[in-house]
């Protein structure tokens, strides 16, 4: 559940562990609180991916040196926010 994920995220953040998340598929995007909260609380980023088949092309475009907010646009162009 989302609350459990956020508790773990706080522990990770207190140990300076950054988590980058890929929210894959309609189910993950319909309830993004856990994925986006995990990324936000650990200073990571959350990349929404509407279609699982798109994951390879999405990963190829990731710039790990860039600063990414824990919100974004899904691969279908729709906005995703916590």
């Amino acid at each position: 559940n989302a609350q459990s994920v956020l508790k773990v995220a706080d522990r990770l953040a207190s140990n300076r562990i950054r988590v980058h998340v890929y929210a894959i598929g309609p189910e993950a995007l319909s309830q993004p609180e856990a994925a986006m909260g995990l990324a936000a609380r650990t200073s990571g980023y959350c990349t929404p991916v509407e279609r699982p088949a798109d994951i390879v092309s999405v990963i190829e475009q990731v710039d790990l040196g860039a600063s990414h907010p824990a919100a974004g646009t899904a691969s279908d162009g729709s906005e995703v926010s916590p």
Side-chain angles (χ1 to χ4, degrees):
N1 85 25
Q3 290 303 322
S4 296
V5 171
L6 297 177
K7 286 180 185 178
V8 170
D10 290 338
R11 289 186 17 213
L12 293 168
S14 70
N15 287 295
R16 297 184 179 174
I17 297 171
R18 180 176 295 173
V19 179
H20 301 295
V21 179
Y22 293 90
I24 302 172
E27 186 175 345
L29 297 177
S30 70
Q31 298 180 356
E33 297 82 11
M36 296 184 78
L38 175 58
R41 290 181 183 205
T42 63
S43 300
Y45 63 83
C46 181
T47 302
V49 181
E50 178 70 29
R51 295 174 348 115
D54 293 340
I55 190 65
V56 172
S57 64
V58 169
I59 290 173
E60 289 173 344
Q61 297 174 28
V62 171
D63 178 1
L64 294 177
S67 175
H68 298 279
T73 304
S75 58
D76 71 349
S78 62
E79 289 295 316
V80 178
S81 61

